[in-house]
Amino acid sequence: MSALRTHNDTWDIATSVGSTAVMVAAARAAETAGPDPLIRDPYAQLLVAGAGTGVWEMLLDEELVAKVEAIDPEVAAMYHHMRNYQAVRTHFFDAYFNDAAASGIRQIVILASGLDSRAYRLQWPAGTVVYEIDQPKVLAYKEQTLAAHNVTPAADRRTVAIDLRQDWPAALTAAGFDPAAPTAWLAEGLLMYLPAEGQDRLFDQITTLSAPGSRIAAETAGNHSDERRQQMSERFKKIAAAIGLSETIDIQDLVYHDDDRADVRSWLDEHGWQATAQSSTAEMRRLNRWVDVPMGEDEDAFSEFVTAVRT
């Protein structure tokens, strides 16, 4: 179980699960600014700059990275690994959406969208509707921040401001979603923040709403040992104190560590989908973005990228 989560917790962009969206956006911003980027997100920096978390914005500070490397090279390697992982993950799911659009799908649903900017930055075909589901304050922050910089969506973007633990299918349908039309769904950076039964319920709801030919993509939850989580938490706290960060967010306190969590590919195959899974470590190596980290040989510690088609 998570140390900090409750069944009715909520957040904005600067707290709890919401703040992890800033971490992801910071990684996208760093990738975009780097040499030969895998992805280009011109809006990530804008979204990070105004978030006010006081922690994740520092991921963009290369001097900070140098300080971490001097204190603990292994933790610095994990930092570089995380940035590369986010770039590879974004690259994979960008390609998924491009393929879905090329197949004729014009209805997109991004679950727990956070600071995802795909509705703004991908080249969507005419007639595409992108639904973003997330907490009301998270959606409001993104929309207001980008509007203030005159950034407009590249598709018909419709927000559904609701917690995924509530009746989001009804809210999605009320926003214009058509269950009879093929849909491309995305659950990226989400499943680890749901308990095992919540993950099953989410996929049940998606399946009910999915017409034949619909697609889904999901990032699975990696599984670190309790001992490993504790070791890394202590090391990160020591580094935070050494470089002057008064408050740090331990992501492991926000995720659910459920040993009985269903295997996503198997669940989908058994419930009317035809699924495939790609190891994130293999994808990182394929794109020359792998960084050796202490738990690098433990495949269970890393996610899979699962895609499926509704039969």
Side-chain angles (χ1 to χ4, degrees):
M1 286 291 290
S2 164
L4 298 179
R5 303 293 309 286
T6 63
H7 292 299
N8 61 350
D9 54 343
T10 187
W11 49 83
D12 58 19
I13 201 61
T15 60
S16 187
V17 177
S19 68
T20 66
V22 183
M23 175 194 69
V24 176
R28 294 200 308 269
E31 177 68 18
T32 300
D36 193 25
L38 280 177
I39 56 102
R40 296 182 187 276
D41 185 344
Y43 311 120
Q45 178 68 66
L46 296 176
L47 293 166
V48 172
T53 65
V55 177
W56 300 127
E57 292 94 324
M58 297 185 71
L59 292 178
L60 302 176
D61 185 347
E62 292 302 327
E63 291 184 3
L64 175 69
V65 179
K67 290 180 181 179
V68 173
E69 287 177 339
I71 298 169
D72 192 328
E74 281 193 351
V75 171
M78 293 187 67
Y79 166 85
H80 288 295
H81 186 280
M82 182 275 292
R83 285 209 323 195
N84 284 358
Y85 172 80
Q86 297 297 341
V88 168
R89 183 180 82 169
T90 301
H91 180 270
F92 184 92
F93 292 125
D94 281 0
Y96 158 77
F97 275 134
N98 288 334
D99 289 345
S103 76
I105 293 177
R106 297 293 180 266
Q107 187 164 250
I108 310 297
V109 180
I110 302 176
L111 301 156
S113 58
L115 297 183
D116 187 304
S117 64
R118 291 185 176 97
Y120 296 84
R121 63 179 179 81
L122 294 187
Q123 295 182 343
W124 299 103
T128 301
V129 181
V130 179
Y131 295 92
E132 294 190 16
I133 306 177
D134 210 322
Q135 296 265 352
K137 292 180 181 179
V138 174
L139 291 173
Y141 168 78
K142 176 166 59 178
E143 187 165 336
Q144 292 165 7
T145 300
L146 294 181
H149 290 85
N150 298 315
V151 179
T152 57
D156 179 359
R157 175 178 176 266
R158 304 183 189 180
T159 59
V160 183
I162 192 170
D163 192 299
L164 287 170
R165 293 165 294 187
Q166 298 170 352
D167 190 2
W168 65 266
L172 179 63
T173 302
F177 175 84
D178 181 5
T183 303
W185 304 84
L186 177 61
E188 177 188 33
L190 165 61
L191 299 184
M192 65 282 291
Y193 301 114
L194 295 176
E197 67 272 15
Q199 174 179 303
D200 290 347
R201 182 169 59 253
L202 179 74
F203 284 128
D204 270 329
Q205 292 167 317
I206 292 170
T207 300
T208 299
L209 293 170
S210 294
S214 292
R215 302 185 181 195
I216 187 170
E219 172 196 18
T220 68
N223 185 23
H224 299 271
S225 69
D226 291 340
E227 181 181 5
R228 183 65 190 165
R229 286 196 298 269
Q230 183 62 33
Q231 289 174 351
M232 294 313 299
S233 176
E234 291 174 357
R235 289 170 74 173
F236 277 115
K237 287 178 181 177
K238 288 180 181 179
I239 288 177
I243 63 179
L245 285 177
S246 59
E247 292 186 31
T248 59
I249 300 172
D250 190 339
I251 294 178
Q252 296 303 321
D253 285 336
L254 301 176
V255 303
Y256 286 90
H257 307 289
D258 289 353
D259 293 334
D260 58 348
R261 187 182 297 273
D263 177 81
V264 173
R265 178 182 179 179
S266 298
W267 191 100
L268 291 170
D269 278 337
E270 294 166 2
H271 291 81
W273 300 81
Q274 186 174 5
T276 59
Q278 172 68 21
S279 162
S280 65
T281 59
E283 188 70 357
M284 291 184 74
R285 289 186 170 96
R286 184 182 75 83
L287 294 171
N288 296 317
R289 291 307 183 96
W290 175 258
V291 176
D292 285 327
V293 288
M295 69 288 194
E297 301 303 317
D298 182 7
E299 280 295 322
D300 288 341
F302 299 92
S303 66
E304 291 183 325
F305 303 145
V306 179
T307 57
V309 177
R310 185 83 163 96
T311 57

